[in-house]
């Protein structure tokens, strides 16, 4: 049996997840903020703030009037012409 540790990342279009192998078993690595095994694939920013956040906290921003979200950018990976705006910045996949 190999003593190497392996990590797998699922960059899903709706949710992302991370897992590792421990003793031959696969173990999901929970999100450190929520404890959930999956994290919403969302980037958000409060209108009045400069910093961005991801996951459940970002989804919460979108449920208020003072937040902006990027929710579909991973579906555009590989599209060199796609851009998404969040606040005064432009992001590409």
């Amino acid at each position: 049996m190999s003593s190497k540790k392996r990590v797998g990342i699922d960059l899903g279009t709706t949710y992302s997840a991370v897992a590792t192998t421990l003793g031959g078993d696969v173990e999901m690595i929970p999100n450190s903020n929520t404890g959930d095994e999956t994290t919403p694939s969302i980037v958000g920013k409060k209108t009045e703030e400069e910093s961005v956040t991801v996951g459940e906290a970002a989804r919460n921003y979108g449920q208020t009037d003072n937040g902006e979200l990027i929710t579909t950018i991973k579906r555009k990976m590989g599209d060199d012409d796609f851009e998404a705006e969040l606040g005064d910045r432009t992001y590409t996949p």
Side-chain angles (χ1 to χ4, degrees):
M1 177 182 285
S2 173
S3 62
K4 293 181 181 180
K5 295 182 181 180
R6 293 177 175 82
V7 174
I9 302 171
D10 175 5
L11 295 176
T13 55
T14 306
Y15 289 90
S16 296
V18 179
T20 187
T21 55
L22 295 172
D25 295 324
V26 175
E27 182 176 313
M28 298 296 291
I29 299 174
N31 179 307
S32 62
N33 294 324
T34 64
D36 296 333
E37 290 184 347
T38 59
T39 299
S41 299
I42 298 173
V43 178
K45 176 184 160 317
K46 285 187 177 178
T47 305
E48 68 277 1
E49 295 180 5
E50 289 299 315
S51 62
V52 297
T53 190
V54 298
E56 195 65 42
R59 184 190 344 236
N60 292 339
Y61 288 174
Q63 294 174 354
T64 66
D65 292 335
N66 64 343
E68 303 172 66
L69 300 176
I70 298 175
T71 60
T72 60
I73 199 164
K74 286 173 34 178
R75 290 186 176 115
K76 299 294 185 176
M77 289 178 104
D79 181 346
D80 293 335
D81 297 323
F82 183 81
E83 295 179 339
E85 292 183 13
L86 188 62
D88 60 352
R89 295 193 59 190
T90 300
Y91 295 88
T92 61

